[in-house]
Structures are given as C-alpha cells and as structure tokens.
Amino acid sequence: MSELDLKAQKLVLKAQELDAADELAALRGKFVLDTASDPADLEDLEDLADLSGRAGDGDGAGVYLDGNSLGALPAAVPAHVDDVVRRQWGSLRIRSWDESGWWTAPERIGDRIAPLVGAAAGQIVVGDSTSVNVFKALVAAVRMAGDGRDGRDGRDGRDGRDGRDGRDEILVDATTFPTDGYIAGSAARMTGCSLRPVTPSEVPGALSDRTAAVLLNHVDYRTGRLHDLPGLTAAVHEAGAYAVWDLCHSAGALPVGLDEYGVDLAVGCTYKYLNGGPGSPAYLYVRRDLQPRFDSPLPGWNSHAEPFGMRPEYTPAPGALRGRVGTPDILSMLALEAALEVWDGVTIESVRAKSLALTDFFLECVAAYVPEGRVEFLTPAAHAERGSQVALRCPDAGDVMKRLIENGVVGDFRHPDVLRFGFTPLYVGFGDVERAGRVLGDVLVS
Amino acid sequence: MSELDLKAQKLVLKAQELDAADELAALRGKFVLDTASDPADLEDLEDLADLSGRAGDGDGAGVYLDGNSLGALPAAVPAHVDDVVRRQWGSLRIRSWDESGWWTAPERIGDRIAPLVGAAAGQIVVGDSTSVNVFKALVAAVRMAGDGRDGRDGRDGRDGRDGRDGRDEILVDATTFPTDGYIAGSAARMTGCSLRPVTPSEVPGALSDRTAAVLLNHVDYRTGRLHDLPGLTAAVHEAGAYAVWDLCHSAGALPVGLDEYGVDLAVGCTYKYLNGGPGSPAYLYVRRDLQPRFDSPLPGWNSHAEPFGMRPEYTPAPGALRGRVGTPDILSMLALEAALEVWDGVTIESVRAKSLALTDFFLECVAAYVPEGRVEFLTPAAHAERGSQVALRCPDAGDVMKRLIENGVVGDFRHPDVLRFGFTPLYVGFGDVERAGRVLGDVLVS
C-alpha cells in the first residue's frame, strides 16, 4: 500500500467510527439524498477513478456539500406541498386563509424558527427576501437611534439646525455578502445617514456617538469565519447604537443566542441550513421590547392592527407582525414549515457539536489528501471563529470545482479563487466528508 | 308558475344560450373546479332550498366568484410544482439555478405576463409582494421627477436652498386599496415629499408643477370601478409628473395597454385573475426608456449588473431586471409560470368581451331575482367604467355573504357593507352567473 492508501485506510475507518457514534445520523433519512451514506469500501481505494465515476453517476448523486447555498429536500415536503396545492388552494380556495392557517403562517413559522436562533416566541415573522428584511431592519434601527432620522424629519437633525446632535452613520461589514452593503447604502441614503464600511474587527474602534446602527454578518459567506456576536453586540450597545445581525450562514448550523445577547434586530434566509427550498422566504427578528418602536419603511397592509378594516390611516399591529408587509407567499412558506419538521427533538447544540466535528474531520482529510501548499485555508482553525463551512483558496478554484462536481462532490465556487464546502449536520455524514476530501485530493494532484 | 319562476326559466335558457356560444367555455376544463358547469335543470327551480343544498354540498363546491381575491387552481399546476420540488430541488438541487432556469425566472415570467397588460418584452420582472413593488415604483418615480428627491439630496430641493424648484408631492388615490396608501406614505416620508390623497376624478385638478408622481388603481378593489388609465396618464404627463398604476384588479381581466398609453411604472399581483396561487409573487413594469433612470430603493444583489461578481460597489443591471431585489421565491414563481399556460392562444380582448357579458348578465339576474331597493349597485353600469367584478351594498352584507357561502356561492365581504362578486372569464360560465343571482335573491328575501 502506498502512503496515501495507508492514510486513506485510516481515515475511512475513522469516518466509520464517527458515523457509528453520530447521534444525529438517523436524521439523514428525513432528507431526499440519492447517495449512499456509508463510506466507500476499502477496496475502492485502489481505484480512485472508479470511485469518482461511481459517485458522479446520475443527476445530483454524490456528496452534497452545498447546503450552505441550497439545503437538500426534506422528505416530508413534497406531500405537504401537494396538499397545499390540491386541497388547500384547489378545493378550499379562499377559505384556506382561515381554515388552513395561511393568514397566521408568517408568525407561526417565525415561532418555529425562534428556538433555533435563541429567541422566545413572538419576535420573528417570516416573509420577503433577506434583502428586503435588511432594509426594514436597518431603517427601523436608524429610526430607533435618532428619532426622526428619515428624509423628512432627519434633515434638521443632520445639519443640527434644531439642536439635535444626530446619529447619522451606519457601519456595515465591508466583507459582508454584497447585498447587505447595497441595501445598507440605500437605507443610509434614504435616512440621511452616511455609510461607513469597516471590517468586523474594526467595528469597536469605529463606533462613536454618531453611530446609529451596525449591520454585521454572523458568519462570513466567503471564508466561513464566525464573528463574535456577543462581544460586538455589547460594543454596539455600549456606543448607544443598534445592532442588526444577518444570520443567513449561521441559523440552523450553530447557536445564535439572539435573546441572550440582547441583539436588537436580525434577519436571515431559510434556504441554507434550514432547508426551506429555493428562494424560500426570509425572516425578521425584532426584540420584544423594541417592537413598539419598530417603525417600518414598508408598512404594508399585513402589518396593520386591523388589516381587514381597510382603513386609510396606518396603525401598526402590536408585536412581531409589525414586520409583515404584503400578502405572504403561501406555497413557499408552507414548504418551509414542512421542512422545519426535521428539527423536532433536535437541539441546535447537538447540531453545532456535529458541525465542528465534520469541519474538523474535513480539515484533517484535506491535510492528508491534498499536497501541502496546494490550497490555502481561509476558514479559521479555532472553533470559536468557525461557522459550518470550509473555504479553501487556490488559483484554479473555478476549474477545480467544475471537476469536483463532475466527480460527484458538490460544493461551490466564489469568484475569483474560493472553493466553498458547506456541512449540514442534519444530513452530511463523516463518510461523505472523507470521500469529499479524497476526491478533492485526486482532482488537485491530477 | 309564479312570476319569479317565469323570470328564472327565461334566464336559465339565456344562460344556456350564452354558454353554448361562449368561445372561451372550453378553458374551464383547464381549472380544478368541483362544480358542474351546466346551469341548473329547470325542474330544480321548483325547490330553491334543494338547489342551494346541492350547490353547497362539500368543500368548496358551488359557484366560485372570488377569483378577484384568489384565482382557482389551474389543472397544470400540481404536477408542475411536484416536478419543481422533487426533481429540480430534490435531485438537481443547486444545479437548477442554471439547468432548470430558476435564475432567469423573474424576467421570463415577466415576459409571459407582458402581452396580457399590453407590454412588449423586457419591461416586467416578477418577484416580491405588490406592496414592496409599489414602494420601488413610487420611490423610483419621485427620483425620476426631481433628481435627488430622496432623504439626503432632496432636502435642499425641498426648501429651495439650492435654487431647484422641487417636485415634492405625491398624489395617491384616496379610494385605493389601503396598502397602496400606507406604502405611498412611507415613500413620501423617505423622499422628503408630502402625500396628498385625492379621488381619481380629482387628479386632473390636483396636478401641479409640485407633483412628482401619482399612484392610481386601475380598478377599484371595492366598487369594481374601472378608471380612465389613458386619460389620467396623459394628464399626469401633461403636468410633468410620473404615473404609477396598480393593476391588481385589472390584469388578466381586461386590456391595460401599458405601452400604448405610455404608462411609466406599474405593479400588480398575480393571484387574482392570473391564478398564480395564494400569495404568488407580484410584478413590476418599468417602461423601457425609463429603465436607465430607474433608481431602486431596494438595490439587492439580484439587480446587480454582475450578481456573481460579489462586488462591494453596486452597479445596476440594464433593463427590467434592475427591478429585482433578492433571491426569487422559486416554488411560488414556477407555480405561477405553470398557471400562465392557460393563456396560450387566449387574447385579453376575448376575455374582456366575456367579462362584460358575464357582469351584464349578473346585473340582469340581480335585477330579476332581488327585490328593488334591497341592494345598491356600486359598480358602474357603463362598460367603460366597469372592471370584472360587481359590488353590491346592503346593510347586512356580512351576514348575507355568510349565507351565500353556506349555499355554495362564494364571493366576499368588504367591511362594512359591501358584497363583492368577481367574474373570471376563463372559468366562470353564464350558468354560474344565473345560479349565483338566484341564490342571492333567495338569501335576500328569506
């Protein structure tokens, strides 16, 4: 046996042991995954080309490490969606707004997400896209920070003519997913603020009595770095500003602790680690004590205290549903609700433990199978700084990912030179991880 | 036979003749409707109680006249949605963004809606709710009307300090669906404008060189009144302002002529006469020559010229897709796409002709079956002023609608005293209309 084969033998055995001890392993059965969960037989190791061919055979077969972009299909979803379409829409029709619970779905599903992000009930509504929710949250935060900081009232505040010294600056994570920066730019422009891009580590030094709100990503979409939500939130509060967190890459993968750390507002998508389906609706968290001051820039009729009163004057509803806007997108929303059933009886702490074990093991496999120096590790080694993905940099990343996918290992490529591998603990096993590392090594040396 | 029975005999025969001559009658087969399409047998007329009992038997059975709230289920939708869920999401997963055409769905489906509202391709994108699109359209219109009319730049314009005489007023239809007024209020507040509610007939007199934009409903949601889109648009343009039309209650029911009449921006929902399903995504029309000046208040990454470039600077895409925001809601969007297949080979002109025939016939049936003075007709008698619904006012409307629904005739009730009956020409027949009128008469005299 070659040195590589010996390493592989060891890692395959370790994967088998880890899978056997995995208390979440049975959850894999709640997803539609067209690949075997067992690690490869040792015999297969003799012929990596054969292994790769087998894994890559057929549509979508192989190891799926792109759940940080689009989560796999939970097995309960298709039948539920069919019922929503045929019976709730097709037969009950308009009656379903009451009888099938359509009208209350945004807050009901929000309450289902709440424990996964450390929030008590009554603080989350589901609906709209992440971008739209970033806009709501950031504008509302600026308004909380300095009453009347919008276009009409804020003018006076900004140039000091009425003696108010305004909080007129929004800090935004410069490394964040671009849409957050674009939307923050619009929120700043429309509230008379300036926008100051900083890195998360620069936030404490950049905070001042001018700071109105700070928009941060909990986990960086590119590097997989986990930021210090408790510490940064405390620093933002210390400066008298409001913290808005984007949880797209952390919710469902690790504990967030929104209530515990006093986060003001938060948003997130549901199609990554929450497996809600392509473009499934996002959510908005508004901390309970801030809800009476949540002044939405998108006061649609769904957020009215009496939506069917059809009143010309806007009176916001109490509570989290003040964050609603228009008619909720029922098909996508109820698909998400069915998808969330996989969480019944699962704690986010157990998911986090497995996530770290998976990424640790992947780093170990990459170190074993990939020649030193061939890739750069972008994801921090420290657990406290790691989300549920591993990002590797290499100059030919685009081509490498193409070949990985051809060989049945699905991650994704981020311009210009990043390979991303997402590990969803609900359905990714250690055998998958070993196989992915081995195929990656094969692709990188060939 | 009583006088009422003689009237009924005549109307049933007329319904049969109209149904027989209806060139759109076959389209009914493209929808899931659990009720017979034939008018009642004449024998049934002897016993209205029996008829009502039969029609009201079972979930959702009967005459569905609430397509102006939620369109019926097109028969092609369930299988298509199942394919989207099981194959596109469940098997192809992330590959579907390209291979299943997910990424381009907003503009592709926009182009499918375009001919129904008189728009050439390349001017409509689908996504978000109507409320969110009203916000985009109105803020963009104000920005077009007076450069820099937003919170930061507009301040100077508004108080004239820099010598610009500003267009700082938004006119909004005071009779409009409330969400439009609420969102217009937010758009005004955030762009430094004032909001002036007027009735549509007051618009010409209210226009001035202060007017930035005018938001109007094409068909009033409550009364069913059709407003003069060509004339009002021309008046708005004459005043140098921008016209934003809400097509929720007209698209799919009558010709709109967006391009022909030079409408600037328009929005609409897709779950009424377009039968897209509960909360299906709305759409935004931006006239081609205005697209380079469309400055969105929600510049999400989907509207970026290079969305996967992940650039920190926002550079808007050319064309209609500048109106996109975040990740599109694929399940709901592709359900809508399948729902739109029923329009293949159908002209909006033929739909309008049948719509007017249906509402004419309903007014005739109401006049025959309902004692004079028992209800007030809110919907104009003139074809040029009538949408595809009939609204009747009576003091006990809430109770009347409850009893109508118990008897198998589904319309809806709008606070405080309005009965609404919507007529979707694609699946409502003249036999339905006669039956609805007869059951209404029965309920109102009992």
Side-chain angles (χ1 to χ4, degrees):
Chain A
M1 263 189 163
S2 71
E3 191 194 347
L4 186 65
D5 288 344
L6 282 169
K7 280 184 187 171
Q9 186 176 11
K10 202 175 137 197
L11 289 168
V12 167
L13 286 170
K14 182 168 180 180
Q16 287 172 332
E17 287 166 17
L18 288 166
D19 276 326
D22 175 14
E23 62 180 28
L24 300 181
L27 291 173
R28 189 184 181 101
K30 296 193 174 188
F31 289 87
V32 175
L33 293 163
D34 40 8
T35 172
S37 61
D38 303 323
D41 291 335
L42 289 183
E43 283 83 344
D44 286 340
L45 296 175
E46 305 291 328
D47 188 351
L48 285 173
D50 172 58
L51 174 74
S52 305
R54 187 165 63 83
D57 196 33
D59 283 345
V63 178
Y64 190 66
L65 300 180
D66 210 5
N68 54 331
S69 183
L70 175 65
L73 171 65
V77 168
H80 187 70
V81 169
D82 200 57
D83 180 65
V84 172
V85 172
R86 289 181 195 269
R87 187 180 60 84
Q88 296 184 14
W89 172 14
S91 177
L92 295 177
R93 288 190 282 261
I94 201 73
R95 291 165 49 187
S96 276
W97 282 108
D98 289 327
E99 295 179 24
S100 303
W102 289 355
W103 184 260
T104 52
E107 48 270 22
R108 181 178 71 244
I109 303 171
D111 282 348
R112 185 66 194 84
I113 292 171
L116 304 178
V117 291
Q123 300 176 103
I124 295 182
V125 285
V126 173
D128 303 310
S129 66
T130 304
S131 299
V132 169
N133 281 300
V134 168
F135 186 75
K136 292 181 213 169
L138 214 40
V139 171
V142 169
R143 289 174 174 174
M144 287 173 190
D147 294 326
R149 196 131 313 282
D150 56 85
R152 183 159 51 184
D153 305 323
R155 298 182 307 158
D156 299 339
R158 194 171 170 229
D159 59 12
R161 280 189 295 169
D162 67 351
R164 284 184 295 197
D165 69 331
R167 288 186 175 268
D168 63 354
E169 189 172 77
I170 296 173
L171 300 184
V172 63
D173 179 354
T175 63
T176 195
F177 190 75
T179 208
D180 293 25
Y182 308 156
I183 294 288
S186 176
R189 173 181 174 186
M190 297 192 80
T191 56
C193 285
S194 56
L195 184 71
R196 183 169 167 199
V198 290
T199 64
S201 63
E202 291 167 344
V203 164
L207 289 162
S208 74
D209 58 8
R210 284 189 56 195
T211 314
V214 183
L215 173 62
L216 290 161
N217 244 287
H218 197 194
V219 172
D220 185 84
Y221 80 100
R222 209 170 56 92
T223 63
R225 177 183 292 271
L226 172 64
H227 295 299
D228 175 15
L229 181 143
L232 287 167
T233 301
V236 170
H237 288 171
E238 183 82 13
Y242 289 79
V244 181
W245 284 93
D246 180 334
L247 310 177
C248 283
H249 286 271
S250 62
L254 51 92
V256 178
L258 290 177
D259 286 353
E260 182 179 356
Y261 301 115
V263 166
D264 301 300
L265 299 122
V267 303
C269 78
T270 62
Y271 45 78
K272 298 180 189 292
Y273 298 105
L274 298 176
N275 312 299
S280 56
Y283 56 89
L284 171 69
Y285 165 91
V286 182
R287 203 179 67 214
R288 190 182 307 280
D289 62 300
L290 295 178
Q291 289 169 356
R293 295 170 56 209
F294 180 81
D295 183 4
S296 176
L298 294 169
W301 72 292
N302 271 232
S303 68
H304 197 282
E306 200 188 347
F308 291 95
M310 303 286 160
R311 310 211 177 278
E313 305 79 25
Y314 179 71
T315 308
L321 50 83
R322 190 173 284 206
R324 289 177 62 163
V325 184
T327 303
D329 207 332
I330 294 301
L331 263 55
S332 297
M333 199 164 284
L334 299 190
L336 167 62
E337 186 168 34
L340 291 169
E341 289 173 13
V342 301
W343 290 92
D344 290 349
V346 178
T347 68
I348 194 70
E349 288 73 19
S350 64
V351 165
R352 173 60 168 168
K354 181 174 172 185
S355 163
L356 288 171
L358 287 167
T359 51
D360 275 346
F361 187 53
F362 185 65
L363 293 172
E364 183 180 349
C365 291
V366 172
Y369 291 127
V370 175
E372 204 175 327
R374 181 68 177 85
V375 297
E376 177 193 346
F377 292 84
L378 287 183
T379 305
H383 282 184
E385 296 178 4
R386 190 196 303 164
S388 199
Q389 78 176 50
V390 171
L392 305 174
R393 177 182 277 158
C394 62
D396 52 342
D399 183 53
V400 168
M401 186 49 71
K402 193 163 163 282
R403 291 173 60 210
L404 280 172
I405 291 170
E406 285 165 7
N407 286 287
V409 175
V410 178
D412 66 20
F413 162 64
R414 282 293 173 257
H415 187 81
D417 57 3
V418 175
L419 300 169
R420 292 198 315 177
F421 301 94
F423 298 85
T424 302
L426 300 179
Y427 56 77
V428 172
F430 295 89
D432 296 323
V433 170
E434 187 279 330
R435 188 182 302 171
R438 187 147 36 88
V439 174
L440 175 65
D442 186 38
V443 163
L444 286 172
V445 299
S446 67
Chain B
M1 264 189 161
S2 70
E3 191 193 347
L4 186 65
D5 287 345
L6 281 170
K7 279 184 187 172
Q9 185 177 13
K10 203 175 136 196
L11 289 168
V12 167
L13 286 171
K14 183 168 180 180
Q16 289 174 330
E17 287 167 13
L18 288 166
D19 276 326
D22 175 14
E23 63 180 29
L24 300 180
L27 291 172
R28 188 182 181 105
K30 295 192 172 188
F31 289 86
V32 175
L33 292 163
D34 40 9
T35 171
S37 62
D38 302 323
D41 290 335
L42 289 183
E43 282 84 341
D44 286 341
L45 296 175
E46 303 293 326
D47 188 352
L48 285 173
D50 173 58
L51 174 74
S52 305
R54 187 165 64 84
D57 196 34
D59 283 346
V63 178
Y64 190 64
L65 300 180
D66 211 5
N68 54 330
S69 184
L70 175 65
L73 172 65
V77 167
H80 187 71
V81 169
D82 199 58
D83 180 66
V84 171
V85 171
R86 290 182 195 269
R87 187 181 59 85
Q88 297 184 15
W89 172 14
S91 177
L92 295 177
R93 287 190 282 261
I94 201 74
R95 291 165 50 188
S96 275
W97 283 108
D98 288 327
E99 295 179 24
S100 303
W102 288 356
W103 184 261
T104 53
E107 49 269 23
R108 182 178 71 243
I109 303 171
D111 282 349
R112 184 66 194 85
I113 292 171
L116 304 179
V117 291
Q123 299 176 103
I124 295 182
V125 285
V126 174
D128 304 309
S129 66
T130 304
S131 299
V132 170
N133 282 301
V134 167
F135 186 74
K136 291 181 213 168
L138 213 41
V139 170
V142 169
R143 288 174 173 174
M144 288 174 189
D147 295 325
R149 196 131 312 281
D150 56 84
R152 183 159 52 185
D153 305 323
R155 298 182 307 158
D156 299 339
R158 191 166 172 235
D159 59 12
R161 280 188 295 168
D162 67 352
R164 281 186 299 197
D165 70 332
R167 288 186 174 267
D168 64 355
E169 190 173 77
I170 296 174
L171 300 184
V172 64
D173 179 354
T175 63
T176 196
F177 189 75
T179 209
D180 292 27
Y182 308 156
I183 295 288
S186 176
R189 172 181 174 187
M190 298 193 78
T191 55
C193 285
S194 55
L195 184 71
R196 183 169 166 198
V198 289
T199 64
S201 63
E202 290 168 343
V203 164
L207 289 162
S208 74
D209 57 8
R210 285 188 55 195
T211 313
V214 183
L215 173 62
L216 290 160
N217 244 287
H218 196 194
V219 172
D220 184 84
Y221 80 100
R222 210 170 56 91
T223 63
R225 178 182 291 270
L226 171 65
H227 295 299
D228 176 15
L229 181 143
L232 287 167
T233 302
V236 171
H237 287 171
E238 182 83 12
Y242 289 79
V244 180
W245 284 92
D246 179 335
L247 310 178
C248 283
H249 286 270
S250 62
L254 51 94
V256 177
L258 290 177
D259 286 353
E260 181 179 356
Y261 301 116
V263 166
D264 302 300
L265 300 122
V267 303
C269 78
T270 61
Y271 45 76
K272 300 181 188 292
Y273 298 106
L274 297 177
N275 312 299
S280 56
Y283 56 89
L284 171 69
Y285 165 90
V286 182
R287 203 179 67 214
R288 190 182 307 279
D289 61 300
L290 295 177
Q291 289 169 356
R293 295 171 56 208
F294 181 81
D295 182 4
S296 177
L298 294 169
W301 71 294
N302 270 232
S303 68
H304 197 283
E306 200 187 348
F308 291 94
M310 303 287 161
R311 310 210 177 281
E313 304 79 24
Y314 178 71
T315 308
L321 49 85
R322 187 173 287 205
R324 288 176 63 162
V325 184
T327 303
D329 206 333
I330 294 302
L331 264 54
S332 297
M333 200 166 283
L334 299 190
L336 167 62
E337 186 168 33
L340 291 169
E341 288 173 13
V342 301
W343 291 93
D344 290 349
V346 177
T347 67
I348 193 70
E349 288 73 19
S350 63
V351 165
R352 173 60 169 168
K354 182 175 171 184
S355 163
L356 288 171
L358 286 167
T359 51
D360 275 346
F361 187 53
F362 185 66
L363 293 172
E364 184 181 346
C365 290
V366 172
Y369 291 126
V370 175
E372 203 175 328
R374 181 69 177 83
V375 296
E376 178 192 346
F377 292 83
L378 287 183
T379 306
H383 282 183
E385 296 178 6
R386 190 195 305 164
S388 200
Q389 77 177 49
V390 170
L392 305 175
R393 176 183 278 156
C394 61
D396 52 343
D399 183 55
V400 168
M401 186 49 71
K402 193 163 161 282
R403 293 174 58 211
L404 280 172
I405 292 170
E406 285 166 6
N407 286 289
V409 174
V410 178
D412 65 19
F413 162 65
R414 281 294 173 256
H415 186 79
D417 56 4
V418 175
L419 301 168
R420 292 198 315 175
F421 301 94
F423 298 85
T424 302
L426 299 178
Y427 57 76
V428 172
F430 295 90
D432 296 324
V433 171
E434 187 279 330
R435 188 183 302 171
R438 189 146 36 89
V439 175
L440 176 65
D442 185 39
V443 163
L444 285 173
V445 299
S446 67

